[in-house]
Amino acid sequence: TIESKKPTKHLKGKNRMPFKRCLSRLLVASFVCVAAGSPAFAATLHSGKYEGLMLAVTPEHQVEGFYAEEMGEGVTRTCTFFLQGKVDGAKASVSTWLDAAYPGTVAASSDGVTLTVEKGREHPGCISVLMPEIATGLDLTQTAAKKWIGLVTVSADKAFLQKTPDAKASHRAYVVKDDVVAVLAFKEGWAQVEYINGEGRSSKGWISQDQYARLAPKG
């Protein structure tokens, strides 16, 4: 800011204010106005773990997600479903599915996302596990930021997480059929994936395209 060398002027009347203080307030007001309308300050959807929700934002501006929650000890009750949709600013309209498909939304919030599925508790097992707030907006806090570009399900009975594409090692960690894994990269028929177990531990490696299936919503 370049300050004027002229003597400080004062406004006449009861509400007079020093010129410099007035200018300062105008600058602050302008900054707040610009900041409020700036994309840099707007909430956006990001890949990551949001409590029970794995969420990936793809390079094509889609969201792919998998929600999993369980309750109880010994005999547990589980609620799981997939979601997929198009990102529109800070929000995505999605289709959620397991046996049947129900519409919903995922919206960015200050510390995570808000997941809304009016019929979410109608997914198998969810009525006794999922909070009723899912119908009007369930707030989920981000527990881990990730660079995922998609989600896939494991289609092979067992898929070893190889150190590099085309590797043949069979003594590494592995994932099994129907596991949901997040994708870090695709490369010539392979996917670099990350699997997070129930205790939150992460394992990474490459699996071939004949060992996984892309998410596909119910028709």
Side-chain angles (χ1 to χ4, degrees), residues 24 85 211:
S24 175
Q211 296 177 311

Side-chain angles (χ1 to χ4, degrees), residues 58-189:
T58 75
E60 297 78 29
H61 304 294
Q62 296 266 344
V63 289
E64 296 183 342
F66 177 65
Y67 186 88
E69 185 180 355
E70 64 178 33
M71 291 181 64
E73 295 181 6
V75 178
T76 58
R77 294 163 291 169
T78 60
C79 167
T80 60
F81 57 87
F82 298 93
L83 64 88
Q84 190 177 64
K86 185 73 173 177
V87 176
D88 184 10
K91 186 177 181 180
S93 296
V94 299
S95 174
T96 71
W97 75 92
L98 192 63
D99 290 347
Y102 304 111
T105 60
V106 181
S109 64
S110 59
D111 61 352
V113 297
T114 300
L115 176 63
T116 307
V117 186
E118 185 179 355
K119 295 184 177 181
R121 301 181 86 204
E122 295 186 26
H123 287 302
C126 292
I127 192 167
S128 59
V129 177
L130 198 56
M131 297 286 286
E133 286 81 359
I134 188 67
T136 54
L138 181 63
D139 291 326
L140 301 171
T141 301
Q142 186 182 70
T143 52
K146 298 291 183 177
K147 295 182 178 180
W148 297 334
I149 61 170
L151 300 182
V152 297
T153 57
V154 178
S155 57
D157 290 336
K158 182 185 289 188
F160 289 96
L161 300 176
Q162 308 292 1
K163 200 168 186 178
T164 59
D166 296 318
K168 301 297 180 183
S170 60
H171 62 278
R172 295 182 58 80
Y174 61 87
V175 288
V176 298
K177 188 168 183 164
D178 296 328
D179 279 343
V180 179
V181 292
V183 179
L184 295 164
F186 289 108
K187 183 179 180 181
E188 298 173 356

